[in-house]
Amino acid sequence: MSLPKDNKDSIPEPTKGLEGIVAADTNLSSVNGEKGILRYCGFNIDDLALDTTFEETICILYDYELPTEDRLSEMTKNIGEARVLPDEVVEVITKLVGKTSPMSTLRTVVSALGHYEKNVPLSELAPKALRLVGQIATAVAMIHRLREGLPIIKADPERGHAEDFLRMLHGDEPSKIQINALNLYLILLADHGFNASTFSARVTAGTLANLHSAITSAVGTLSGPLHGGANEKAMDMILEVGKPENASEYIENAFNNKQKIMGFGHRVYKVDDARRIHLKNMTELVCKENGNMEIYRTAEEIERQVRKRKSIITNVDFYSAPLLYELGIPTDLFTPLFAMSRVAGWTAHVLEQYKNNRLIRPRARYVGQIDRTFTPLQHRSEKRF
Ligand code: SDX
């Protein structure tokens, strides 16, 4: 598109979607798209994936260091004690459930929680941020219990985050594999560079707006189907395909209709999403425990059929879907579960932004008409408007 002749600004052509643009430095996570490697503060997620807890990842993102036993017990206790909501926020959830989606309810809950927190200096912000990490899990479980007309299950601060969430959601004792599976999920989705929702949290924090405003921005951004909303759509697809032998025709039709296949493609990863293999393996384990290998085999065949036709990677949302499904999580809670994990990264990024802040304000290249003649209202003839 040629610029209007008298546009004085020699602004260069924008990069669509800011692809490849480096917006700032971070010490939190590094996403190596060429090699498919994800690290939190330098620790490879392959080392964190199977033998640690979500609380350990939170310690890394907040302390930039592996926790000692004492630090980990302190974090587990703090998060456990934070899994409590003010009565007024429980009322907000009660009023909204059934009328709005769980993700819209969660966005409102995060905003409402901000009313029950004092503004504190940066030095005291970490405990406030961690409270939100704990509260979001309770809110997600409560949204489900209330809309199903089930009694609310109070948090047990003595338990780990993943275990207590499953207990609050289902009202029964989760198995060891289920606790491991949810821990893995929460660890793997905790942070991921400047993905859209994290970046929106940083833009909001960059104005020195408060923590809850920044996280409300992030929740809203995550809800889109091109980002955190893809897991729900991926599950709908897996259920619609139903059996492995249906996958080929389904994917052929989708590509012929130029549809985007949810759970595939990524702006940064070019060879593989570092998190895929862990999610895939854990999905197989949970499906085996549930005696439901059909879901796993169908997902696997969909992946094969997509990769046969287009070199796009399987992203984090694809195997997240059957994994959460087999943990008995209702599909419309998948994106809230994503938020339950990513709030660790979001809050860590907000703290990082505040610590070394500069307002985030890129430019736009104006390509509209320039220097147009103003006509006073009384002289504007009807026919033109
Ligand atoms: C997440 O950024 C992060 O880190 C995000 C995330 C995180 O942890 O925070 O990893 C989580 O959001 C994962 C992405 C979840 N979204 C989806 O699964 C939705 C489906 N995916 C696509 O919409 C797409 O792949 C995006 C949005 C993820 C990335 O889009 P890009 O980088 O803008 O790529 P593009 O749309 O320009 O596509 C490039 C090409 C196109 O082909 P051509 O038209 O050039 O021939 O690849 C094709 C696209 O058609 N393509 C796909 C596709 N994704 C890309 N074709 C079919 N299905 C897809 N899913």
Side-chain angles (χ1 to χ4, degrees), residues 192 226-227 260-261 263-264 266-267 275 315 317 342:
H192 209 246
L226 293 189
H227 186 18
K260 286 275 168 69
I261 320 284
F264 291 87
H266 200 275
R267 175 63 60 80
R275 304 157 291 186
N315 66 46
D317 285 304
R342 189 54 55 89

Side-chain angles (χ1 to χ4, degrees), residues 25 28 64 119-126 128-129 200-217 346-360:
D25 291 333
L28 287 167
Y64 298 83
N119 278 335
V120 294
L122 185 54
S123 57
E124 296 164 32
L125 201 52
K128 177 174 167 181
S200 79
R202 290 196 73 135
V203 169
T204 306
T207 70
L208 296 185
N210 67 35
L211 172 83
H212 284 75
S213 301
I215 305 305
T216 302
S217 299
W346 290 333
T347 50
H349 276 274
V350 167
L351 293 170
E352 185 179 60
Q353 183 71 34
Y354 285 150
K355 281 181 198 140
N356 178 20
N357 185 46
R358 183 145 196 263
L359 180 77
I360 298 170

Side-chain angles (χ1 to χ4, degrees), residues 298-353:
T298 303
E300 221 186 7
E301 186 57 25
I302 289 170
E303 181 180 37
R304 211 189 329 273
Q305 293 301 329
V306 172
R307 307 292 292 269
K308 221 165 79 171
R309 292 169 172 81
K310 197 157 204 175
S311 61
I312 47 174
I313 62 112
T314 311
N315 66 46
V316 68
D317 285 304
F318 185 66
Y319 282 107
S320 293
L323 178 61
L324 294 178
Y325 184 81
E326 285 301 309
L327 290 176
I329 313 283
T331 311
D332 66 357
L333 288 190
F334 284 12
T335 310
L337 259 289
F338 195 150
M340 223 176 96
S341 166
R342 189 54 55 89
V343 63
W346 290 333
T347 50
H349 276 274
V350 167
L351 293 170
E352 185 179 60
Q353 183 71 34

Side-chain angles (χ1 to χ4, degrees), residues 60-77:
I60 292 170
L61 293 172
Y62 272 61
D63 307 340
Y64 298 83
E65 191 44 86
L66 290 171
T68 60
E69 294 227 12
D70 289 351
R71 173 59 176 147
L72 183 55
S73 331
E74 180 198 38
M75 179 62 80
T76 305
K77 179 170 163 297

Side-chain angles (χ1 to χ4, degrees), residues 73-86:
S73 331
E74 180 198 38
M75 179 62 80
T76 305
K77 179 170 163 297
N78 292 348
I79 297 279
E81 287 167 357
R83 289 193 288 268
V84 180
L85 298 175

